[in-house]
Amino acid sequence: MRRTAGAKLIKGLVFSACLALNVVSERTAWADNLTDAFIGAYNSSGLLEQNRALLRAADEDVAIALSALRPIINWTVRVSQDFTKNRSGTTVTSVEPSRFFSGITLSQLLYDGGASLLGKQSAQETVLATRQALIDVEQQVLFRAATAYLGVLLEEERVRIRENNVNLSGEELRATQDRFEVGEVTRTDVALSESQLASAQADLADARGNLSTAQAEYVNAVGKTPGRTAGQPSLPALPRSVEEAISLAMRNHPAILSAQHQVRARDLVVQQQRAGLGPNVSLNADVGITESYDNDDYTNDASISLSLNQPIYAGGRLAANVRRAMAQRDAARANLLNVQKDVTQGVTNAYVRFQTATTSLRASEERVRASQVAFDGIREEATLGARTTLDVLTAQQDLLDAQLAEIASRTERSLAAYQLLQAQGLLTAERLGLAVQIYDPTLYYNLVKKAPAQISKQSRDLDRVLKALRRE
């Protein structure tokens, strides 16, 4: 009876071990991979759409700034009532004529010391900064997709291992009960096996809950429910040293490039405010008809004037505007330094994380190899009666724990690799070569940068673009 129970247990253990060892290789042709997650996130992210809309708003600021350099034409209706009293010697005459004017007025800025042009240039720098901010958001979206995919993959593997552990614990309990019936073990051994099975079932329930949580995060990050995962992704090309990684980040990271454009934009605002302290010259003209309410008289009027204004005193507002612009420029410069430091630290942390994960993975693989050798040896010894069933189960559990640690280390290495890409500013749809329609920020900008009027052909083209955006 002992040899029969032992043989049954060993057969169950061998079958379970084969299942555990084949966990990684069990995949299907229709499985989702990391690239699918990237594509889904890029195409469905509301965060990307939000920031693209903010970029279009920044594009319109250029058109608004440009309009200050163009003439302003209005149709004007004006009703006036004059009150005039004349005294000539002893004669006092009161005149209260009422007039109605209808016509076209024009105002054209001729000179303002370059303030309006500087305002346009500042708006253009803000557009460039916002474009880089959009790329940084794109990196965040794609990294979240990578994290979600690897999270689902990890939890699926954990569920499979926990399921295998439940099967092993069930085999152990049945073998212990068989041995108890023939008097080889005590009730304590049976209770110990029951406790082990209950613990394995609780661990499995917890793993399934974690898998559901990971799948919910995947839906949020990618925009669809995950299919069967296709396994660990291949590692991207990475720098050979942390110095090389930092050098790449200093040149490519969108947060740094955005901060640099912000500094240039603030410099231009300072120059604009200083130019506003000088004189400005404008041309004003109007043409129309002036009618009198007192009779049927009317006059065809046309006038043109040239005016020069030089601020002398504005309650301190102009000087305060200059000082505020200088403070905002200083803040932008300080922010650039902070961003550079943060990016450098982020690259260093990601590089160290990847190196640590790589070392941990090698150790985990060696642990799996050693645990496999130990399990095979104890299993053979058990068939000869030199080892107990509990010894075999303990060795099998050690092997499963080692496999679980290996899977976690492999996932951590993949995650660290893509974090390093993000830290360098290289985790974008274009650099990854994703099969998506890459968003081109220059298309909308080119339509609005010349501030097209509503009646122009360019404005009609812009209307079609806006309608297409609303349909998406």
Side-chain angles (χ1 to χ4, degrees), residues 41-43 45-53 134 137-138 141:
Y42 187 86
N43 289 332
S45 173
L47 187 59
L48 276 177
E49 288 301 322
Q50 174 192 352
N51 283 272
R52 288 167 183 169
L134 175 61
V137 170
E138 179 183 329
V141 168

Side-chain angles (χ1 to χ4, degrees), residues 425-439:
L426 305 178
L427 188 62
T428 64
E430 184 176 3
R431 290 182 179 274
L432 292 173
L434 300 183
V436 296
Q437 182 65 45
I438 301 296
Y439 182 79

Side-chain angles (χ1 to χ4, degrees), residues 114-153:
S116 297
L117 181 59
L118 289 168
K120 176 192 171 185
Q121 293 171 350
S122 174
Q124 289 173 328
E125 288 294 337
T126 301
V127 166
L128 297 177
T130 308
R131 288 181 186 177
Q132 295 300 323
L134 175 61
I135 295 176
D136 203 16
V137 170
E138 179 183 329
Q139 287 204 126
Q140 297 171 22
V141 168
L142 295 181
F143 183 69
R144 184 181 180 185
T147 303
Y149 172 82
L150 292 170
V152 170
L153 176 63

Side-chain angles (χ1 to χ4, degrees), residues 14-311:
V14 172
F15 176 74
S16 299
C18 292
L19 289 178
L21 292 173
N22 290 328
V23 160
V24 178
S25 61
E26 292 178 352
R27 304 295 176 202
T28 59
W30 52 268
D32 286 344
N33 55 35
L34 182 57
T35 300
D36 295 328
F38 283 148
I39 292 174
Y42 187 86
N43 289 332
S44 65
S45 173
L47 187 59
L48 276 177
E49 288 301 322
Q50 174 192 352
N51 283 272
R52 288 167 183 169
L54 292 176
L55 175 57
R56 293 195 294 273
D59 292 341
E60 296 292 354
D61 287 338
V62 176
I64 294 171
L66 176 63
S67 68
L69 299 170
R70 292 178 173 177
I72 299 175
I73 302 175
N74 292 313
W75 176 65
T76 302
V77 175
R78 182 171 60 246
V79 178
S80 63
Q81 177 73 55
D82 294 341
F83 298 92
T84 306
K85 181 178 287 188
N86 297 322
R87 182 183 179 92
S88 177
T90 60
T91 303
V92 179
T93 305
S94 297
V95 180
E96 299 180 1
S98 299
R99 295 184 179 86
F100 174 84
F101 172 82
S102 175
I104 302 296
T105 64
L106 176 145
S107 177
Q108 170 67 63
L109 177 68
L110 299 180
Y111 174 79
D112 65 353
S116 297
L117 181 59
L118 289 168
K120 176 192 171 185
Q121 293 171 350
S122 174
Q124 289 173 328
E125 288 294 337
T126 301
V127 166
L128 297 177
T130 308
R131 288 181 186 177
Q132 295 300 323
L134 175 61
I135 295 176
D136 203 16
V137 170
E138 179 183 329
Q139 287 204 126
Q140 297 171 22
V141 168
L142 295 181
F143 183 69
R144 184 181 180 185
T147 303
Y149 172 82
L150 292 170
V152 170
L153 176 63
L154 177 61
E155 297 304 330
E156 285 179 346
E157 300 294 353
R158 284 175 173 169
V159 166
R160 291 188 182 98
I161 289 178
R162 294 303 180 187
E163 288 174 342
N164 190 53
N165 192 33
V166 169
N167 294 334
L168 291 177
S169 299
E171 290 289 342
E172 177 187 353
L173 176 58
R174 286 189 291 274
T176 304
Q177 288 173 337
D178 290 342
R179 296 174 65 189
F180 173 74
E181 291 175 359
V182 297
E184 293 184 358
V185 297
T186 65
R187 172 61 65 180
T188 302
D189 295 308
V190 176
L192 182 61
S193 297
E194 291 172 342
S195 175
Q196 184 180 6
L197 176 59
S199 177
Q201 290 170 338
D203 290 339
L204 175 58
D206 185 62
R208 286 173 174 168
N210 291 337
L211 175 58
S212 297
T213 301
Q215 289 171 338
E217 167 62 16
Y218 186 93
V219 171
N220 193 0
V222 178
K224 65 183 184 68
T225 56
R228 183 179 293 277
T229 53
Q232 292 287 342
S234 58
L235 295 180
L238 297 175
R240 291 168 292 183
S241 66
V242 66
E243 290 78 15
E244 181 182 347
I246 292 175
S247 177
L248 285 171
M250 291 297 105
R251 298 194 305 269
N252 295 293
H253 202 287
I256 293 178
L257 299 179
S258 177
Q260 290 172 344
H261 287 298
Q262 289 171 2
V263 170
R264 286 194 282 270
R266 291 302 177 184
D267 282 335
L268 291 167
V269 170
V270 171
Q271 298 176 42
Q272 179 188 19
Q273 293 300 326
R274 285 175 173 164
L277 299 175
N280 66 80
V281 180
S282 61
L283 174 70
N284 298 284
D286 61 66
V287 59
I289 299 176
T290 300
E291 300 181 43
S292 174
Y293 283 141
D294 299 330
N295 49 54
D296 294 334
D297 296 342
Y298 70 90
T299 303
N300 291 324
D301 285 340
S303 66
I304 185 169
S305 63
L306 192 68
S307 61
L308 181 146
N309 294 290
Q310 169 62 59

